Amino acid sequence: MLFIKPLKTASTSVEIALSCNATAEDIVTPISVKDELLRLELGGQLPVNYSRSSLSEAIYRSRVRFLSLLKIQDAGKLVAMNARLKSVFHGGKRRIVYNHIKPDEIIKRKGEAFLKDSFVVTMCRHPYDVLVSRVFWERFKKGGDSDFDVEREIDNMLKKGPLNFDYYFLNEKFIPDYTVKYEDMTNGLKWLDDKFNLKLVENLPVTKNTARKKEKEPKDILTEEQRERCYEINRQIFNKFGYEK
């Protein structure tokens, strides 16, 4: 099974749940320090077999274990540590695969057979929700800047095109063999539990849920013009997964 991880679909939570079912024989990719510490707390397999240096991987895992002993709660310190660990252990040509890698890059780095011979699992979420979640995540990374213009940033994000299209389609061909819908995650994970004899539901944590206070539904945050633009650039995703406009 190969898990392809789109943006803003609760995929980090599923990635952690998967790593709680993984061993050192599997491929596990690095995530943020905060989420690494949560993964360690849940007993998940820390990153392994993702780079060209097993020594670098071992040192990285030891650093994560050391940080867990410090019990750091300060968000600013964790962000700084995350940046440092990323630059030291995951930069340059050292890594082969990474957490948000797309199918086309998987083929370049692991070969076409690796993708073809895998049972490909991914996540999906309503494109309105993905768009709004991504914009508020950007604001969160900037420290919740009061000057952050949400409407302007949504417009800027829309200009970049669909956020997750390339995780699903390669040369117009739909790649995943199975998709877990954000809106029905428990049932989707139960299906994978049964098929692969896993324990995903019981190991599913909650991650990255502090970027936006959910006072409004994403659809109500977007203007009518933004909703229309979002639909047009994500039309194939709307149709493939049966989302309403």
Side-chain angles (χ1 to χ4, degrees), residues 91-104:
K93 298 180 179 179
R94 186 178 292 117
R95 67 182 184 178
I96 302 172
V97 292
Y98 52 95
N99 59 344
H100 283 298
I101 193 169
K102 299 175 183 178
D104 63 336

Side-chain angles (χ1 to χ4, degrees), residues 29-40 46-47 60 64:
T29 55
I31 47 183
S32 73
V33 169
K34 181 180 178 181
D35 292 329
E36 292 286 20
L37 295 175
L38 177 57
R39 168 155 60 189
L40 183 62
L46 292 177
Y60 175 76
V64 172

Side-chain angles (χ1 to χ4, degrees), residues 131-149:
L131 173 61
V132 170
S133 180
R134 180 65 178 181
V135 167
F136 276 87
W137 176 242
E138 291 298 325
R139 186 179 74 168
F140 175 76
K141 288 196 298 182
K142 294 179 180 179
D145 191 343
S146 59
D147 293 331
F148 191 93
D149 188 325

Side-chain angles (χ1 to χ4, degrees), residues 37-80:
L37 295 175
L38 177 57
R39 168 155 60 189
L40 183 62
E41 180 182 339
L42 293 172
Q45 170 65 51
L46 292 177
V48 65
N49 301 321
Y50 67 90
S51 80
R52 294 178 173 84
S53 172
S54 59
L55 176 59
S56 177
E57 291 180 351
I59 296 173
Y60 175 76
R61 292 191 297 271
S62 70
R63 293 289 176 88
V64 172
R65 293 189 181 97
F66 175 71
L67 289 175
S68 72
L69 298 176
L70 299 180
K71 300 187 182 303
I72 297 171
Q73 300 296 324
D74 184 86
K77 288 184 178 179
L78 288 173
V79 169

Side-chain angles (χ1 to χ4, degrees), residues 2 9 15 20 24 30 56-57 63 95 113-114 129-130 147 152 155 161 166 183 188 204 215 219 221 230 234 244:
L2 172 64
T9 57
E15 181 179 13
C20 290
S56 177
E57 291 180 351
R63 293 289 176 88
R95 67 182 184 178
F114 181 83
D129 294 31
V130 170
D147 293 331
R152 182 189 64 205
D155 287 335
D166 291 338
E183 297 82 2
L204 186 69
E215 298 171 349
K219 185 176 182 179
I221 292 174
C230 183
N234 289 283
E244 294 184 0

Side-chain angles (χ1 to χ4, degrees), residues 1-4 115-116 118-122 167 175-179:
M1 183 174 72
L2 172 64
F3 181 57
I4 291 180
L115 183 64
K116 184 178 179 181
S118 298
F119 184 87
V120 178
V121 175
T122 193
Y167 289 98
I175 298 300
D177 296 297
Y178 184 74
T179 305

